[in-house]
Amino acid sequence: MENTGITVTEHLLIHQKESPMATGRFTRLLSELIFAAKIVSREVNKAGLVDILGLTGEINVQGEEVKKLDDYANRILIYRMQQAGVLCAMASEENADIIEIPDKYPKGDYILVFDPLDGSSNIDVNVNIGTIFSIHRKTSDRSHATVQDFLRKGSEQVAAGYFLYGPSTMLIYTTGNGVNGFTLDPSVGEFLLSHPDIRIPETGQCYSVNESNYTYWDDRVKKAVEYFKTPENDRGKPYTARYIGSLVADFHRNLFRGGIFMYPADNKDPSKPRGKLRLLCEAAPLSFVIEQAGGAATDGQQRILDIEATQLHERVPLFIGSKKDVEKATAIVSGEA
Ligand code: P6P
């Protein structure tokens, strides 16, 4: 059993030989992400005390009202990461275009995509929210990164994970050698290894989906959701319904308890025929984590990590969680069962 209580840096050093990713430059990238997350965590934890819960009055590229904490988290991440000297460019769920690294800062060959504060609609009701991140290496020989450098398959990610701001602040991430969980100890300001080698149960006990979209689903999606609601399934009893409405929180619970999260395609909003969730900054990083933990993730037809993005803010249906549950849902949605 790995010795819990070590810091992220110590953990990276111990596993240096196993993970080609654990280079000094990657360690610097992760350290800067951690620094930014500590600042965001501090602000989230006092969000109820200062006038930061209101709206900025601005609208982001997704057409969603930007809450001050969203905007704050986005600015902190961009500021910290642009001066880290390890990125050639980054992209945020809050920004329409890629974010170049100013010439005054040194550059590296990592590419970072992030959702600065996912679950933002829950900020002012004090529900868990999170920061999701995805890391690629630039492979093109272009002198400057372009959006083309971001339009990759999720299987090419070199690392991915999320920070969860809840009763405790956690970091869950993978570099392709399993998944480890670290919990922030505010008294020392360090993320300490608390959940080594996380594995998701092969089948779960809960299903997570926003059933208010029922009338907008096609018949196969309705049949797949029904499978989890009735005793006519491989468990012989209904799964428990659990839906927080904050992707990171729902994902994190299912990662430890087992189960399936679904955000299917729906015809609710003609501008979002493939559902609401974004491929590059939500589905792909969480799919890397779930597969490394022994789970699975599809868009109802194919493996999320096999999908090559065609645009920066591409949306994708998402079925993610316990391997057997995702396989069953995918078989039904794709018409194979
Ligand atoms: P709905 C939050 O805004 C978010 O992007 C995810 O965190 C969450 O899973 C989803 O939207 C909830 O969407 O349509 O069920 O409210």
Side-chain angles (χ1 to χ4, degrees), residues 33-291:
L33 271 178
I34 285 171
F35 188 90
K38 287 178 189 174
I39 298 172
V40 172
S41 174
R42 180 193 66 197
E43 294 307 311
V44 165
N45 290 340
K46 67 180 185 183
L49 304 175
V50 294
D51 176 32
I52 200 165
L53 292 179
L55 300 180
T56 60
E58 295 162 27
I59 301 291
N60 70 7
V61 65
Q62 314 297 342
E64 296 156 346
E65 286 183 325
V66 178
K67 294 192 180 289
K68 282 182 181 173
L69 216 43
D70 250 350
D71 184 38
Y72 182 83
N74 197 40
R75 283 185 286 111
I76 287 289
L77 277 156
I78 292 170
Y79 175 72
R80 292 303 310 182
M81 298 317 296
Q82 71 183 3
Q83 50 85 44
V86 293
L87 297 181
C88 58
M90 55 184 132
S92 166
E93 186 252 354
E94 296 290 339
N95 297 58
D97 303 313
I98 67 170
I99 302 156
E100 311 230 352
I101 306 300
D103 289 339
K104 65 180 176 182
Y105 295 124
K107 294 181 182 59
D109 61 359
Y110 286 114
I111 286 170
L112 172 68
V113 183
F114 59 90
D115 182 351
L117 212 53
D118 178 81
S120 52
S121 52
N122 296 291
I123 290 175
D124 42 6
V125 290
N126 205 20
V127 166
N128 291 13
I129 47 185
T131 298
I132 309 172
F133 60 90
S134 167
I135 300 166
H136 282 272
R137 274 193 189 285
K138 177 171 173 285
T139 50
S140 72
D141 53 10
R142 281 183 282 266
S143 59
H144 268 69
T146 70
V147 69
Q148 287 308 316
D149 291 296
F150 288 78
L151 303 183
R152 318 275 284 274
K153 284 186 180 180
S155 55
E156 295 173 37
Q157 291 174 99
V158 293
Y162 59 90
F163 293 93
L164 178 66
Y165 310 108
S168 64
T169 293
M170 287 191 72
L171 162 62
I172 306 282
Y173 83 98
T174 182
T175 58
N177 278 295
V179 180
N180 292 290
F182 299 80
T183 301
L184 179 63
D185 177 341
S187 68
V188 295
E190 289 282 2
F191 281 92
L192 305 179
L193 181 65
S194 52
H195 300 79
D197 193 23
I198 299 168
R199 304 291 294 171
I200 186 171
E202 210 175 30
T203 182
Q205 53 190 340
C206 73
Y207 75 101
S208 310
V209 69
N210 184 340
E211 302 214 41
S212 72
N213 294 329
Y214 181 83
T215 53
Y216 303 108
W217 295 332
D218 70 25
D219 289 342
R220 287 178 179 169
V221 168
K222 289 177 180 175
K223 184 181 172 188
V225 173
E226 287 303 313
Y227 170 84
F228 295 102
K229 294 177 68 169
T230 65
E232 285 79 54
N233 58 41
D234 297 346
R235 275 182 93 218
K237 60 181 181 178
Y239 286 57
T240 304
R242 288 286 182 274
Y243 193 73
I244 300 170
S246 176
L247 173 59
V248 179
D250 280 315
F251 176 90
H252 186 79
R253 180 204 52 246
N254 292 355
L255 176 65
F256 284 90
R257 295 260 183 83
I260 182 169
F261 173 94
M262 299 174 273
Y263 207 104
D266 60 52
N267 57 28
K268 182 176 178 181
D269 178 344
S271 70
K272 300 172 189 170
R274 295 261 292 158
K276 173 178 190 180
L277 300 181
R278 275 74 53 160
L279 174 59
L280 290 179
C281 66
E282 290 171 324
L286 294 181
S287 298
F288 189 16
V289 171
I290 207 73
E291 286 200 5

